[in-house]
Amino acid sequence: MGTRWAMGVLLLAVACGDDDGAIDAGRADAPGVDAPGVDAPGVDAPGVDAPGVDAPGVDSGPGASGLFPPTVSWRQPVDGAALDAESDAAIAWLDDNGGWGNSNRFQIDFSFVVLQADGSAARSFTPTGDHFSPDCDTDDVPVPAVGRLEGETGYACEGDGDCHLIVVDGPAERLYEMWRADIRDTFRGGCLAVWDLSRDYGDDGRGVDCTSADAAGLPITPLLFTREELEAGEIAHAIRFILPNARIRNRVYVAPATHSTGATSGDAEAPPYGARLRLRADYPLESLPNDAARTVARGLQRYGMILADAGQIALTAHAGADDLIGPRDLADLAVTDFEMVEGGTRRTFTGDCVRR
């Protein structure tokens, strides 16, 4: 999710500001905003065991290590990184204010699918009210003939969720991520972020104060862990995680995030968008129920997880990873089992996106 208008949101989402910089905090369905009716407390992650994952054109994912140059921040280990000066306060605050979403249960969402361009002609789309300028792109999208949106069985956004559309065009080295896509007789879409897979965007991403298909302005796909990574026994990148808006610091973000929203309402001790949490090195991995769970936990110890969007289901995996790990296999991981690594300069969100 994501957008310049102040409140952003998923899977995929954003939040931006209007052209005049005014904040529209009333848009409860924007990227970065907790989607109504989705990820309700106590409900298993939406999209788990969703049909269509093995349909032609749907890829279970080669692993994020093959996306973007090896220098990108989320592929750098942080097991030896210094703790942020706010780590103790942020972890204590989060623990005192409800912890993870979904009744403070560390659960996994498997609803994202990554489609591979199949040579079908790229399609133009009609921007909706969920598309923001200058944050969002207007490029034609190489939508495969067969595929589906996040949380859906096809290309129609029938459940009124985030309905992320993700397409990788390998030969062109492009990643297309759209929030609130809906393809029926016509193609309508919210915020589209087109990423150059050969580029390390650095701390400023696609632009300061600019959103993407996620509220923090980050790409989604390289932060998803996959079935192939679980089979290989290694996740060599940070993982995407989310929190309810009330538990994210209001209008503040740190690199590699480039965006926050007016929908967040956490106070000055809450973790900001872009915060990178690391599982404590002394966490007893042998207590976890299976090898896949231990693989994820080791990844969280070495590479951590980055706060990227708002919602209820904490951790995000690629559809198909649930072949090896269950949605609650990491439920024993508490907020107090994590620490926040050094995040650098805090930036205050203004809503004035400046594209690079």
Side-chain angles (χ1 to χ4, degrees), residues 323-347:
D323 289 347
L324 298 176
I325 188 170
R328 300 188 186 184
D329 283 357
L330 295 172
D332 287 344
L333 298 188
V335 167
T336 51
D337 291 321
F338 287 81
E339 49 201 7
M340 188 165 75
V341 301
E342 173 58 46
T345 303
R346 273 57 174 163
R347 289 176 170 174

Side-chain angles (χ1 to χ4, degrees), residues 43-70:
V43 177
D44 284 348
V48 175
D49 299 331
V53 173
D54 295 326
V58 179
D59 182 23
S60 60
S65 60
L67 300 176
F68 294 94

Side-chain angles (χ1 to χ4, degrees), residues 218-229:
L218 295 164
I220 296 166
T221 308
L223 300 179
L224 306 178
F225 70 86
T226 71
R227 182 182 63 215
E228 285 76 8
E229 289 173 321

Side-chain angles (χ1 to χ4, degrees), residues 14 69 103 138 140 160 199 216-217 237 240 300 302 324 331 341:
V14 221
S103 300
T138 57
D140 292 352
D160 198 31
R199 178 179 176 185
H237 58 85
R240 177 184 185 268
L300 292 172
R302 183 157 173 76
L324 298 176
V341 301

